[in-house]
Amino acid sequence: MTEKCVMDVKRNEALEKDTLLFPCFQISNDVKLKDVPSTGEEYLLAVINERRNCQMVTKCKIDCSKFAQNQSEFVKEIPHPKAPDHLKPTIEWQNIQVADFSDIRLYISRLLDKRSHWPKIRKLKVNPVNEVWINFFESHEPTLSCILGINYKILDIGLEFLIESLNAIKPGSTIPYNTGQWIYAILACTRQPLLPNTVSILRNLARTCAEVRSHINPEEENSKELVTPFNVFICLVSRYFGQFDLAD
């Protein structure tokens, strides 16, 4: 019976190249490489030998210019402005935001498991127009009893409206407190796995925050306070909801 291999960094060639790769079995030095393996050890030796002849990473080189003349439309990459270095959140700060956000979502998840014990809550079933959304967000606090009564699809529409309102922020200003509360609350109640439309909305939120943040003067004394709400939402979209290409 083949003896199990004990991982030894010094003797293990594969481990020297890639710490995630190491052999499951130790092959005896008496085993010889044959064209047609007749035992399990000979087969493993042949596989190892073949593996040595393969590149660790391969890629396909394609000349895209050949297809350009047949391309009907080209999609332009949407810009994502980066924050100045001294306003960019540290990875430690971002990890704290993600951890706190995860705790909140866990709490909400446990509440949803006890839905049958909830008191009667207000439900918003119809799709409100802009005027209704404005009145709704201004006259209601984003409490759980309020937000959990809103259908997930309508929540997405409400988040889109809030994102659109960010474009009205004057250069050098930050997100209004009530708007920030609602955005955070909706993110906390966003259902996973994410639907494609929800992913698009979240990415739009991160891009809009980055764009509005770029108009804040980094030389102002309170610039760090002004960029914090934007940093929070960009962090959650990128690092919690998995849109890592938008991360700071």
Side-chain angles (χ1 to χ4, degrees):
M1 182 176 180
T2 307
E3 182 182 357
K4 288 187 177 180
C5 171
V6 177
M7 186 173 65
D8 187 340
V9 177
K10 295 182 180 179
R11 295 182 301 166
N12 194 331
E13 294 181 3
L15 191 59
E16 291 176 354
K17 296 180 180 179
D18 190 337
T19 55
L20 296 180
L21 301 175
F22 58 91
C24 295
F25 300 99
Q26 184 70 39
I27 299 177
S28 172
N29 294 329
D30 298 331
V31 178
K32 303 299 181 182
L33 184 63
K34 297 181 180 179
D35 292 337
V36 181
S38 58
T39 66
E41 286 187 322
E42 290 176 358
Y43 176 78
L44 288 176
L45 185 61
V47 172
I48 293 173
N49 186 67
E50 184 178 355
R51 173 67 181 84
R52 290 196 183 104
N53 297 327
C54 297
Q55 296 181 1
M56 293 295 291
V57 178
T58 59
K59 61 180 181 179
C60 181
K61 296 181 180 180
I62 301 177
D63 184 6
C64 297
S65 61
K66 297 179 180 179
F67 313 106
Q69 58 184 356
N70 298 323
Q71 185 73 29
S72 58
E73 293 184 17
F74 290 90
V75 178
K76 294 183 179 180
E77 184 176 354
I78 302 176
H80 183 71
K82 297 296 183 180
D85 289 339
H86 71 285
L87 296 181
K88 186 180 297 184
T90 64
I91 189 63
E92 292 79 13
W93 182 88
Q94 295 184 67
N95 288 338
I96 292 173
Q97 304 308 312
V98 171
D100 291 344
F101 187 69
S102 299
D103 290 341
I104 292 173
R105 285 182 62 90
L106 179 60
Y107 174 74
I108 294 175
S109 176
R110 289 171 177 169
L111 283 181
L112 292 174
D113 291 337
K114 301 178 181 179
R115 186 175 302 182
S116 59
H117 302 290
W118 290 0
K120 187 176 181 180
I121 59 177
R122 175 181 176 178
K123 293 187 177 181
L124 186 64
K125 295 182 179 180
V126 297
N127 181 14
V129 294
N130 286 356
E131 292 76 12
V132 177
W133 276 124
I134 294 174
N135 179 67
F136 181 78
F137 288 134
E138 289 181 351
S139 59
H140 292 81
E141 294 289 331
T143 59
L144 286 177
S145 60
C146 175
I147 200 168
L148 291 178
I150 304 176
N151 180 275
Y152 286 104
K153 184 177 181 181
I154 298 179
L155 272 182
D156 281 351
I157 298 173
L159 182 57
E160 284 185 292
F161 175 81
L162 290 170
I163 295 171
E164 186 65 27
S165 71
L166 298 182
N167 293 317
I169 296 177
K170 296 180 179 179
S173 300
T174 190
I175 300 176
Y177 183 73
N178 186 60
T179 301
Q181 279 190 313
W182 268 105
I183 293 177
Y184 194 95
I186 292 177
L187 292 180
C189 295
T190 297
R191 178 181 293 179
Q192 287 184 304
L194 299 175
L195 297 175
N197 185 58
T198 306
V199 173
S200 177
I201 294 172
L202 293 178
R203 292 181 65 83
N204 189 28
L205 170 62
R207 289 195 180 101
T208 303
C209 285
E211 177 63 30
V212 179
R213 182 183 63 180
S214 67
H215 298 301
I216 294 177
N217 184 0
E219 303 301 327
E220 291 187 17
E221 293 183 2
N222 62 339
S223 58
K224 290 187 177 181
E225 296 178 5
L226 295 175
V227 302
T228 297
F230 301 111
N231 290 345
V232 169
F233 296 138
I234 294 172
C235 168
L236 296 181
V237 170
S238 60
R239 302 199 180 276
Y240 184 88
F241 291 107
Q243 309 305 305
F244 297 106
D245 59 307
L246 301 177
D248 285 319

